[in-house]
Amino acid sequence: MDNGIFLCSISNVSSGNCSEDCGYCAQSSHYHTGIEKYKFKDMQAVLNEARTLKQYGALGFCLVTAGRGLDDKKCEYIAKTAKMIKDDGLDLHIIACCGRADTDSLKYLKQNGVDSYNHNLETAKDFFPKICTTHPWKERFETCENALSAGLGLCSGGIFGLGESWGDRIELLKSLQILSPHSVPVNFFIKNPALPIVQNTLEPEEALECVVLAREFLPKARLMIAGGREVVFGREQKALFECGINAVVLGDYLTTKGDAPQRDVDMIRSYGLEIATSCH
Ligand code: SF4
């Protein structure tokens, strides 16, 4: 197994106007967050992004669409884009992230070059209704099961700092244990006055405790630090890796800018860590 830090990048291929009311998400149409909204980014532009991120060492590339679920149009677009990237010979692990999805649609994505599906449980089952009223947590869990049934790799994690208790955090991690995803994104909520969740962004100490707990519950998973990394930790991120992080989202996030990819790669290497060169 490659013990280096796995780099994964994201392309928000269809942004905003989501019917759902997830209180932590800037893409919900229920809140006025001022994000850029568009449908189906030009495929050539997505391919160019994939080529660029690959040059920085990204091994994973995730195609994300906003919205509750994977409809026929999105399915076709993702399948075509994934195939285009694979046909380009980029040798990237392609992940799709399109919300609720049935097993047949997910099998179709797999046939067209998608390797994994990302669908986060986000938080504990019992806490979820406090942050989202338009769809049930159960639907999220079922989609994760569908991804596994379709033979896709599963990437599923959550977001910390929504006002959940430590008990809720443990419940989330127990649910993830059942699914046993190969990759687990760890996000930290960033306070945004346009969103209904009023929690302050976590202090680094508490965020690190969340990472330690996640590593304890999911010892074999690729634990990937995602949204909130820069806001919570600034450029002092070494402790994240000491607490069990072994994967990083490189480049921009869905609606916010990340640090320059080369700067992040240099930072990781300055901690004496290698960058992974293989998905296995
Ligand atoms: S369903 Fe996804 S895109 Fe829509 S508001 Fe919730 S997290 Fe955001």
Side-chain angles (χ1 to χ4, degrees), residues 4-68:
I5 303 300
F6 185 92
L7 304 179
C8 194
S9 49
I10 294 175
S11 181
N12 196 8
V13 296
S14 224
S15 172
N17 288 323
C18 180
S19 60
E20 304 305 290
D21 70 351
C22 308
Y24 52 87
C25 181
Q27 301 203 75
S28 167
S29 60
H30 295 251
Y31 320 121
H32 302 288
T33 51
I35 60 155
E36 199 186 343
K37 296 173 188 166
Y38 49 82
K39 272 201 170 152
F40 301 121
K41 205 186 259 183
D42 174 65
M43 284 183 201
Q44 186 60 45
V46 179
L47 177 62
N48 290 342
E49 284 176 32
R51 286 175 178 158
T52 303
L53 272 305
K54 172 82 189 181
Q55 281 172 6
Y56 288 110
L59 294 176
F61 190 68
C62 185
L63 304 166
V64 188
T65 58
R68 181 164 179 174

Side-chain angles (χ1 to χ4, degrees), residues 85-98:
I85 294 169
K86 290 280 177 178
D87 288 349
D88 199 57
L90 277 179
D91 194 22
L92 282 163
H93 184 93
I94 306 283
I95 306 114
C97 173
C98 311

Side-chain angles (χ1 to χ4, degrees):
M1 187 178 153
D2 192 324
N3 288 322
I5 303 300
F6 185 92
L7 304 179
C8 194
S9 49
I10 294 175
S11 181
N12 196 8
V13 296
S14 224
S15 172
N17 288 323
C18 180
S19 60
E20 304 305 290
D21 70 351
C22 308
Y24 52 87
C25 181
Q27 301 203 75
S28 167
S29 60
H30 295 251
Y31 320 121
H32 302 288
T33 51
I35 60 155
E36 199 186 343
K37 296 173 188 166
Y38 49 82
K39 272 201 170 152
F40 301 121
K41 205 186 259 183
D42 174 65
M43 284 183 201
Q44 186 60 45
V46 179
L47 177 62
N48 290 342
E49 284 176 32
R51 286 175 178 158
T52 303
L53 272 305
K54 172 82 189 181
Q55 281 172 6
Y56 288 110
L59 294 176
F61 190 68
C62 185
L63 304 166
V64 188
T65 58
R68 181 164 179 174
L70 182 65
D71 57 24
D72 290 351
K73 247 180 156 177
K74 282 182 195 166
C75 196
E76 209 44 59
Y77 171 90
I78 296 289
K80 274 195 186 136
T81 310
K83 191 164 183 314
M84 196 173 172
I85 294 169
K86 290 280 177 178
D87 288 349
D88 199 57
L90 277 179
D91 194 22
L92 282 163
H93 184 93
I94 306 283
I95 306 114
C97 173
C98 311
R100 175 179 61 176
D102 61 42
T103 308
D104 286 346
S105 310
L106 292 166
K107 279 184 182 162
Y108 181 72
L109 292 185
K110 183 174 160 66
Q111 284 158 10
N112 283 277
V114 172
D115 299 293
S116 291
Y117 199 71
N118 168 232
H119 197 51
N120 292 334
L121 294 182
E122 303 299 15
T123 192
K125 183 181 176 189
D126 291 343
F127 185 72
F128 191 76
K130 296 200 175 84
I131 56 157
C132 175
T133 66
T134 47
H135 65 270
W137 182 92
K138 195 167 159 269
E139 184 177 294
R140 290 185 167 265
F141 194 87
E142 283 167 359
T143 291
C144 291
E145 290 179 315
N146 294 345
L148 292 168
S149 305
L152 288 164
L154 177 64
C155 173
S156 182
I159 176 164
F160 295 98
L162 303 171
E164 75 284 354
S165 66
W166 279 103
D168 292 325
R169 289 170 186 171
I170 287 169
E171 283 310 308
L172 163 68
L173 293 167
K174 280 185 181 167
S175 301
L176 288 171
Q177 262 185 340
I178 295 168
L179 292 166
S180 191
H182 73 84
S183 177
V184 177
V186 172
N187 295 277
F188 302 116
F189 175 67
I190 304 304
K191 195 171 180 179
N192 178 339
L195 295 176
I197 294 175
V198 294
Q199 297 297 316
N200 285 327
T201 302
L202 291 182
E203 292 297 325
E205 294 73 24
E206 188 171 355
L208 283 176
E209 284 180 59
C210 295
V211 172
V212 169
L213 195 67
R215 179 46 87 204
E216 204 177 298
F217 274 82
L218 301 156
K220 292 196 181 137
R222 189 181 285 151
L223 205 56
M224 179 158 49
I225 192 73
R229 170 167 64 97
E230 296 87 346
V231 178
V232 176
F233 295 95
R235 300 299 295 168
E236 301 298 322
Q237 297 176 21
K238 192 176 181 190
L240 280 167
F241 302 99
E242 291 168 344
C243 289
I245 290 294
N246 59 354
V248 167
V249 172
L250 190 73
D252 294 338
Y253 299 98
L254 293 176
T255 57
T256 53
K257 285 263 168 221
D259 266 327
Q262 190 58 54
R263 206 167 163 233
D264 271 346
V265 169
D266 292 345
M267 178 190 71
I268 293 166
R269 289 204 172 115
S270 76
Y271 300 149
L273 299 163
E274 300 287 328
I275 304 295
T277 53
S278 146
C279 286
H280 307 291

